[in-house]
């Protein structure tokens, strides 16, 4: 079981980074956080992968007042997504024809959905940005949806002002990624161990999960 979990975690994070590179090469707009990453990369001259890593660890600092602690998967996510984003950009050429751009965008959304289901299903902890969302919801009493909306609107606006790419891909991602992960996650969710299952059965209240 541990071998499967580790393989699924690392494969998912690699695919996530490659999907980010595909979004960039498609040139039709990025998801909110990556609009922010791209804007910072444009302003600083750093590669987007390096920016993703730096932002991940800065976001983890925000976990401290929320009394949230990273898991093994959280730390792997913080490093590997950025590494594989730069690898993907080195391997995937830019596309100028509109048909190729749409094909690359569609492939990026699907790959991102599979990647998300893989690393979430491995049960090694949330990514830095997801943890910020759920931690804020828990500490403030806001819904997860409201917390996510506020955070993503803020980073999208800042990223756009910094020159990040907002477009059709941004809208397509927002509409498609939730339903896609919802369908895929049960296929990749690693069953909890019997000990954890027994412990969960005696808990007074189950933890809140993001749909």
């Amino acid at each position: 079981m541990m071998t499967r979990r580790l393989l699924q975690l690392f494969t998912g994070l690699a695919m996530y980074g490659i999907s980010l590179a595909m979004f960039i090469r498609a040139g039709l707009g990025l998801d909110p956080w990556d609009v922010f990453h791209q804007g910072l990369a444009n302003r600083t001259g750093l590669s987007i992968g390096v920016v993703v890593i730096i932002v991940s660890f800065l976001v983890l600092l925000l976990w401290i007042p929320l009394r949230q602690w990273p898991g093994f998967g959280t730390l792997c996510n913080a490093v590997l997504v950025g590494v594989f984003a730069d690898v993907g950009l080195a391997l995937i050429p830019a596309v100028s024809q509109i048909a190729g751009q749409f094909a690359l965008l569609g492939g990026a959304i699907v790959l991102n959905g599979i990647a998300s289901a893989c690393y979430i299903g491995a049960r090694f902890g949330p990514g830095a940005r997801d943890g910020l969302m759920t931690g804020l919801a828990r500490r403030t009493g806001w819904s997860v949806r409201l917390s996510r909306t506020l955070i993503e609107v803020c980073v999208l606006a800042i990223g756009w002002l910094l020159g990040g790419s907002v477009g059709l891909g941004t809208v397509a991602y927002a509409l498609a990624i939730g339903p896609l992960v919802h369908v895929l996650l049960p296929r990749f969710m690693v069953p909890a161990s019997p000990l954890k299952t027994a412990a969960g059965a005696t808990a007074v209240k189950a933890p809140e999960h993001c749909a």
Side-chain angles (χ1 to χ4, degrees):
M1 187 65 72
M2 181 58 70
T3 300
R4 174 193 164 176
R5 291 177 66 202
L6 289 170
L7 180 62
Q8 189 170 302
L9 172 68
F10 294 132
T11 301
L13 295 178
M15 290 192 298
Y16 202 101
I18 296 296
S19 74
L20 169 54
M22 293 170 67
F23 276 114
I24 293 172
R25 292 305 190 210
L28 296 173
L30 307 173
D31 68 276
W33 273 105
D34 289 327
V35 171
F36 178 64
H37 297 146
Q38 188 184 52
L40 284 177
N42 291 341
R43 295 287 180 160
T44 62
L46 299 172
S47 73
I48 194 162
V50 171
V51 170
V52 168
I53 294 170
I54 292 172
V55 170
S56 295
F57 282 100
L58 291 176
V59 170
L60 284 176
L61 292 178
L62 298 177
W63 283 32
I64 297 173
L66 297 176
R67 298 180 183 177
Q68 184 138 312
W69 302 102
F72 174 70
T74 309
L75 299 177
C76 291
N77 186 310
V79 176
L80 294 180
V81 170
V83 169
F84 281 99
D86 280 348
V87 170
L89 287 172
L91 297 176
I92 301 170
V95 178
S96 57
Q97 295 181 343
I98 191 66
Q101 289 177 288
F102 275 105
L104 204 53
L105 174 63
I109 292 173
V110 172
L111 186 63
N112 191 277
I114 297 171
S116 298
C118 279
Y119 87 75
I120 294 171
R123 298 179 181 270
F124 277 114
R129 296 153 188 79
D130 291 334
L132 176 63
M133 170 187 67
T134 56
L136 183 63
R138 189 183 66 254
R139 293 289 292 173
T140 62
W142 298 343
S143 68
V144 171
R145 179 174 298 185
L146 176 60
S147 299
R148 176 172 183 167
T149 299
L150 289 174
I151 292 170
E152 293 194 349
V153 166
C154 288
V155 296
L156 177 64
I158 295 170
W160 178 71
L161 290 173
L162 292 173
S165 176
V166 178
L168 177 63
T170 309
V171 177
Y173 181 88
L175 294 175
I177 194 62
L180 190 58
V181 174
H182 179 76
V183 170
L184 293 172
L185 187 56
R187 301 175 184 273
F188 291 96
M189 184 62 72
V190 176
S193 68
L195 289 177
K196 289 185 178 180
T197 302
T202 60
V204 175
K205 182 180 179 181
E208 181 179 357
H209 294 282
C210 176

